[in-house]
Amino acid sequence: RNEPGAADAMRREPIDLHALAVDVAMGWVPNALQRDIDLGFEAQVEQAMIHGDADRLRELINNLIDNAIRYTPRGGIITVRCGETAGRPFLEVEDNGPGIAEEHMEQIFERFYRVPGSPSNGCGLGLPIVKEIAASHGADIKVTRCESGGLRIRLEFPRQIRSG
């Protein structure tokens, strides 16, 4: 469903990214608690409307949170954020895990790529799927290392036209 060119088959409808992100994040709370990870949500707005496919966006958010939980050590912190910057809705997942060295930043979006020495048992498809879904929604992805050493992945969606 998320192969390049699949965007033509997407159902596009108004979606509240904030509500969707809260719903998905709440589903990960039991997994986070099992690992003694503090999974929190911060919202800058009460609503962040975008046009897109809710099922694919749910998969995108699930992949981001799953990765964060996989790589964040016990007792760590993961924060999901949603808001708007200059009229562009955004979604962000930040963790205080080991982060990724600069030389691997571009490669993490390649299929089956795994950072050498990664402690997780993933197969290297989560972030490439995130990239495909983001591209099909016209979203830009920014990956940065946090001051804590962890990783922040931010998706900025196209500016939305407001009625009224």
Side-chain angles (χ1 to χ4, degrees):
R1 281 188 328 206
N2 296 310
E3 291 292 325
D8 298 336
M10 279 186 9
R11 289 186 328 244
R12 292 197 179 268
E13 58 190 3
I15 296 169
D16 181 357
L17 184 62
H18 171 268
L20 183 63
V22 168
D23 184 53
V24 173
M26 291 299 293
W28 284 96
V29 169
N31 295 70
L33 289 173
Q34 285 178 346
R35 299 225 15 205
D36 193 28
I37 292 174
D38 177 4
L39 173 59
F41 188 88
E42 294 178 1
Q44 294 180 349
V45 294
E46 289 184 27
Q47 199 176 49
M49 296 304 294
I50 64 171
H51 277 86
D53 184 306
D55 291 336
R56 291 181 183 172
L57 290 167
R58 182 176 296 279
E59 184 177 2
L60 177 149
I61 299 166
N62 275 318
N63 283 344
L64 290 175
I65 296 173
D66 180 38
N67 265 11
I69 289 175
R70 283 177 189 264
Y71 292 100
T72 300
R74 290 189 81 72
I77 299 170
I78 299 170
T79 305
V80 178
R81 290 186 189 90
C82 190
E84 209 172 270
T85 301
R88 291 188 70 181
F90 73 83
L91 173 74
E92 187 173 272
V93 177
E94 178 179 326
D95 65 59
N96 68 343
I100 296 173
E102 197 67 39
E103 64 265 20
H104 299 287
M105 289 286 199
E106 289 300 315
Q107 294 168 298
I108 62 174
F109 293 106
E110 295 174 11
R111 288 175 178 253
F112 305 110
Y113 181 79
R114 298 207 4 99
V115 174
S118 294
S120 177
N121 60 354
C123 62
L125 287 175
L127 290 178
I129 290 170
V130 165
K131 180 181 178 182
E132 292 296 334
I133 295 170
S136 71
H137 285 81
D140 298 322
I141 301 178
K142 297 177 184 176
V143 181
T144 54
R145 285 185 61 88
C146 304
E147 292 176 15
S148 65
L151 195 68
R152 178 183 304 121
I153 298 181
R154 180 182 179 108
L155 291 98
E156 292 186 4
F157 292 84
R159 181 174 280 116
Q160 298 300 305
I161 299 171
R162 300 215 190 320
S163 59

